[in-house]
Amino acid sequence: MLRIVNGRVYDPINGIDGALREICVQGGKIVETVPREARRIDAQGMAIMPGGVDIHSHIAGPKVSLGRKIQPDDHRCDVHIRTPITRSGTGGTVPSTFATGYRYATMGYTTVMEAAVPPLGARHAHDELADTPVIDKGLYTVCGSNLLIYKMLQDGREKDLRHVVAWLLNAAKAYTIKLVSPGNDEVWKGARNSQITDIGQTITGFELTPRQVIKALIGAACDLGLPHPAHIHCNNLGHSGNIATTLETMRLAEGRRAHFAHIQFHSYGGQAGHNPTSAAAQIIEALDRNPGLSADVGQVMFGKSTIMTADAPMAYMLRHYSKDKRWVNADTECEGGCGIKPFAYQDHVYTHALQWAIGLELFLLSKDPWRLVLSTDHPNGGTFGSYPRLIRLLMDREFRKQEIGKANRKAMKRTLLLDGLDREYTLQEIAIVTRAGPARLLGLKNKGHLGAGADADITIYDVQDDKEAMFAAPRYVFKDGVAFIDNHEFRNDHVGRTLYVAPDYDRAIEADVKRFFDDFYTVQFENYGLGADDLGPREAVPAGQVA
Ligand SMILES: [Zn+2]
């Protein structure tokens, strides 16, 4: 039992913006009140927020493991020391499971979603997630590159699709479906160095276009009433002029819900093969016009990163772009591919500086922080460890000016950052883009707020002028009411829950799926799906109203 007094509470879902409120905790939940003898924390001079929620990150699964494996040098430089309470690990841009959980939690984040696991990799990913301490977690499973789904769509079986998707979600114990540049991996495998450049193009080996795949999967997620809609990585990521593809993909939602991942990487004007320009304003306008759509930014931060994506051709394209020649291309039978490439964003390089600026433009132009939330697409645009710095860039105009001054001048001149874009995020807006907004977009009713009944995931920061310092090291972090960080010290270890959905479907579809497995997979149908017992501590999140 716990009573937190004298702190300023930032709880946007409940409309509390910096008011002095008491927060009471019992049995891992927020409650109205607790008995007098409950432990009391005096939070004078502190800001109290719900635990952070990361809607898009890469923390577990086969591609994350490959990212770790090819960078042993990173691990040697950044050892995560064990304490009497917590375990050891390694850091770098792709931290080990233990370091991932502890480092997120040490920053005040208590829920993190792994954004791209092919169903075949789900067993591996869940094993890693079970080993990731403190935080609650879940995974999105890649369906937009799945040959079974392509085949069904090609055969005109759109009505059966939702049953296959529901079966896949159950088999992978996933939280929602993910699309990654639909069609791209098949075209890539089918003809060397080819890619989908237009979503009306035919996917190699099929009479089908990415447009049909995207539309059908947005529909399937809505029909199943998933708490979080289809999570889409649009085609043409990173290419000049990709704004056309992004807007066209958004139009396919036709008023239904859809989430657009790391939208910064999809906000480029200019012509293919030439330097990109910023199309941030067009993205903001499109989000504003379509209330069913949401996005996370995918901010680029200067410094080391690791590109890791189910968009295999992307890693191939980037393989010569840095001194570090390591890269991986891997195939996931019938379900897509992946690419991994150690990378570094540099402030003097035009494209990198422009990407950094476009992310900031998106944040600063955003009209609805509930639908445009914070991410760096960890570790793609930068690591989650750079969030405090990003928050300072948003909250501190003078600091931002200094950083703009160091970046490539030509790139800065082509953005709105030099045109008096002087917005400063408030603590309440930061609370929206880092917890309340993502929790709401994920349909997690017990997260992202501090009302009675919410999970007691609470972060308490010392209010400081230096917002980077403030958000890097909260004074208290509670997970399910357990004090993980207590007065800046580790006091407990903790195991969080895996969040997943279990939508109903017509069991008759399994005969079709099994036939496909017999013909094309090396894995037996019977050995493929996970049972709930294969997960660690877990929570099935109910599907909402069928849209
Ligand atoms: Zn991603």
Side-chain angles (χ1 to χ4, degrees):
M1 287 188 298
L2 177 70
R3 182 189 294 272
I4 306 164
V5 299
N6 294 329
R8 298 213 170 264
V9 173
Y10 295 87
D11 181 5
I13 287 179
N14 293 306
I16 302 168
D17 180 3
L20 290 170
R21 289 284 160 89
E22 283 189 7
I23 300 290
C24 296
V25 172
Q26 188 165 15
K29 296 280 183 185
I30 310 277
V31 293
E32 297 287 356
T33 188
V34 284
R36 193 183 281 254
E37 67 268 22
R39 180 185 171 196
R40 197 178 158 91
I41 289 178
D42 187 347
Q44 184 147 33
M46 300 178 205
I48 304 172
M49 292 189 186
V53 178
D54 199 337
I55 200 169
H56 189 111
S57 182
H58 298 279
I59 57 169
K63 70 181 183 318
V64 178
S65 276
L66 282 168
R68 294 182 186 118
K69 213 178 272 182
I70 63 170
Q71 301 177 88
D73 40 332
D74 251 19
H75 305 164
R76 279 194 290 271
C77 299
D78 185 5
V79 175
H80 189 91
I81 310 273
R82 73 184 279 263
T83 72
I85 297 160
T86 56
R87 302 179 64 153
S88 65
T90 57
T93 54
V94 196
S96 64
T97 53
F98 296 116
T100 296
Y102 294 136
R103 288 183 179 190
Y104 257 116
T106 306
M107 243 173 33
Y109 269 72
T110 49
T111 304
V112 180
M113 290 291 174
E114 156 57 56
V117 177
L120 253 181
R123 193 175 293 275
H124 172 167
H126 279 299
D127 281 348
E128 286 192 16
L129 289 178
D131 253 0
T132 304
V134 193
I135 56 174
D136 289 339
K137 54 258 164 171
L139 61 84
Y140 310 151
T141 200
V142 180
C143 293
S145 316
N146 192 296
L147 299 197
L148 172 59
I149 285 174
Y150 288 178
K151 195 170 170 307
M152 296 200 60
L153 283 174
Q154 180 176 265
D155 294 346
R157 297 180 61 192
E158 279 212 37
K159 282 201 177 125
D160 292 336
L161 190 73
R162 83 157 88 163
H163 300 294
V164 173
V165 168
W167 175 80
L168 267 171
L169 285 164
N170 277 283
K173 291 289 170 281
Y175 194 74
T176 195
I177 55 173
K178 174 78 183 292
L179 288 77
V180 181
S181 305
N184 221 24
D185 288 338
E186 282 319 297
V187 175
W188 165 251
K189 290 178 215 170
R192 191 173 147 81
N193 302 354
S194 292
Q195 290 202 56
I196 295 279
T197 53
D198 180 328
I199 58 173
Q201 205 176 314
T202 306
I203 300 171
T204 305
F206 291 86
E207 286 165 31
L208 189 70
T209 64
R211 188 183 285 135
Q212 289 169 271
V213 176
I214 297 162
K215 211 172 153 176
L217 287 174
I218 290 174
C222 290
D223 291 344
L224 292 168
L226 300 181
H228 183 56
H231 196 101
I232 304 170
H233 159 147
C234 293
N235 294 78
N236 280 330
L237 179 145
H239 293 280
S240 297
N242 64 11
I243 179 71
T245 308
T246 309
L247 296 177
E248 197 186 344
T249 308
M250 286 179 162
R251 280 194 288 274
L252 294 175
E254 294 176 338
R256 290 167 299 186
R257 288 179 73 204
H259 182 88
F260 289 81
H262 38 68
I263 195 83
Q264 177 278 128
F265 287 108
H266 305 275
S267 305
Y268 306 152
Q271 285 183 340
H274 294 79
N275 269 345
T277 58
S278 170
Q282 284 169 268
I283 292 290
I284 294 302
E285 199 184 297
L287 285 173
D288 200 36
R289 268 201 316 270
N290 299 286
L293 306 184
S294 58
D296 57 271
V297 169
Q299 176 70 36
V300 153
M301 298 296 283
F302 298 126
K304 286 180 85 169
S305 76
T306 298
I307 309 291
M308 67 173 55
T309 173
D311 181 356
M314 175 52 59
Y316 175 78
M317 193 189 90
L318 290 172
R319 75 199 188 288
H320 292 320
Y321 275 71
S322 64
K323 279 186 203 143
D324 192 329
K325 295 299 176 206
R326 294 173 283 191
W327 68 291
V328 174
N329 243 182
D331 172 39
T332 311
E333 57 179 74
C334 303
E335 298 182 354
C338 81
I340 293 129
K341 169 82 201 133
F343 202 72
Y345 292 99
Q346 300 166 73
D347 55 13
H348 63 271
V349 175
Y350 172 86
T351 308
H352 302 180
L354 188 82
Q355 291 176 305
W356 176 82
I358 290 173
L360 293 178
E361 282 183 298
L362 288 165
F363 275 117
L364 299 173
L365 294 170
S366 170
K367 291 175 190 152
D368 186 356
W370 292 93
R371 289 191 293 124
L372 184 65
V373 300
L374 186 143
S375 74
T376 58
D377 188 13
H378 162 85
N380 283 283
T383 69
F384 64 80
S386 63
Y387 290 176
R389 193 175 183 82
L390 173 53
I391 290 170
R392 185 174 180 198
L393 283 167
L394 300 179
M395 293 193 75
D396 182 342
R397 184 189 308 148
E398 286 310 312
F399 174 65
R400 192 163 69 225
K401 264 189 202 154
Q402 275 172 35
E403 297 301 298
I404 292 169
K406 295 179 202 163
N408 181 292
R409 201 68 195 153
K410 191 173 150 206
M412 293 307 109
K413 280 186 178 162
R414 288 190 167 187
T415 70
L416 300 172
L417 290 183
L418 300 179
D419 296 344
L421 199 56
D422 60 358
R423 177 176 180 180
E424 287 182 327
Y425 269 55
T426 62
L427 281 173
Q428 186 77 338
E429 286 173 316
I430 293 298
I432 296 171
V433 297
T434 58
R435 43 266 281 167
R440 187 174 271 184
L441 295 176
L442 289 166
L444 290 169
K445 296 196 168 60
N446 300 328
K447 300 208 179 285
H449 73 100
L450 297 171
D455 294 342
D457 301 348
I458 308 166
T459 305
I460 307 179
Y461 302 97
D462 292 308
V463 176
Q464 300 179 54
D465 288 338
D466 179 343
K467 297 298 185 272
E468 184 173 354
M470 173 174 168
F471 282 92
R475 184 174 288 273
Y476 298 93
V477 178
F478 294 90
K479 178 73 191 73
D480 299 315
V482 175
F484 172 65
I485 303 281
D486 193 333
N487 210 5
H488 288 306
E489 302 269 349
F490 291 115
R491 291 288 182 207
N492 284 290
D493 205 348
H494 185 71
V495 181
R497 296 183 294 282
T498 296
L499 308 167
Y500 66 103
V501 295
D504 281 336
Y505 60 95
D506 180 359
R507 302 275 156 172
I509 204 73
E510 290 182 359
D512 289 358
V513 179
K514 185 175 182 325
R515 206 169 309 125
F516 187 82
F517 269 68
D518 291 344
D519 288 346
F520 297 107
Y521 271 82
T522 57
V523 181
Q524 294 279 316
F525 173 78
E526 289 76 11
N527 297 333
Y528 183 80
L530 281 94
D533 293 346
D534 292 321
L535 308 182
R538 58 192 178 267
E539 179 183 336
V541 176
Q545 290 296 315
V546 172

